[in-house]
Amino acid sequence: MNLENKVILLTGASSGIGRNLAVQLAEKNCSLALVARREELLNNLKKEIAGKVSGVEIYVCDVTDKDKVNTVVQDVINKFGRVDVAILNAGVGVKSGINDFDTEKAKEVFETNVIGIINFINALLPDLLKRKAGIIAGVSSLADARGFPGSGFYCASKAAATIFLESLRVELKSYNIKVITVKPGYVRTPMTDKNKFPMPFIINADKAAKIIIKGIEKEKRIIQFPLPTVLITKLLQILPDPLFDFIMQKEPPGKKK
Ligand SMILES: NC(=O)c1ccc[n+]([C@@H]2O[C@H](COP(=O)([O-])OP(=O)(O)OC[C@H]3O[C@@H](n4cnc5c(N)ncnc54)[C@H](OP(=O)(O)O)[C@@H]3O)[C@@H](O)[C@H]2O)c1
């Protein structure tokens, strides 16, 4: 899809990958509806890109709040007429090893990373189905591959997001609505800045945004990167359980060096 003159709704626009996506999408002469909770960051971003885009509006919204999400989507449609591309990128990552175990953290992770995506799709679907057009790009992660120790809540939430998006992709194909699953490896952002463990093949958020935009333009089913991490996670997926357990116990990703 040529993104010129398209209306793009982007969640998690205030920081990291989302912020970089917004800055680069602004160069495409599209209209942007930017969603996040931190208003000041959204306002700064709006000021930065206002001269470049054909239209930009910010929407302060917690993706876990279904009523607010419904209102935001209606406001975006009222303002811009439609949503051509929804990039559902908002997400949280928390440590969830046995020393950090907490049901509230699990709720936050699942409600943001899974229900947050579902809330937006729920609000967007009637209009997309009516128009039989559009792209939904949900941001999952290569962490969906297996249950990495210390990151159980995050991995499980991303696995749920990936499986949900896959099912939606097949279902919406006959309505000419494309569903794309974005699966980054490690990307340097405020989310990963707090990690104390090694993050192999980490790339910067600017590069990640470039890859994601190119993948959306090509309407790829899965946008996954970087290649070495993709290959390693594919290998880990087919690894027999005893071998996976052995490797992970020897070098758990959450282990402090
Ligand atoms: N960085 C990586 O290595 C990596 C790897 C794979 C996948 N990902 C995924 O990529 C996406 C972006 O992550 P990032 O690395 O760019 O992290 P980030 O810099 O922490 O950005 C996360 C974004 O999500 C928004 N957000 C979080 N909770 C929200 C909520 N309840 N309601 C609305 N917005 C919310 C934040 O905005 P506010 O706080 O202003 O609301 C922020 O804009 C996430 O889905 C993440 O899981 C990241």
Side-chain angles (χ1 to χ4, degrees), residues 12-17 36-38 61-64 89-92 112 139-141 154 158 184-187 189-192:
S14 62
S15 161
I17 297 171
R37 291 166 303 182
R38 285 171 292 175
C61 169
D62 186 325
V63 299
T64 68
N89 159 75
V92 285
T112 311
V139 179
S140 179
S141 166
Y154 185 75
K158 291 301 187 182
Y186 287 118
V187 181
T189 69
M191 183 185 283
T192 49

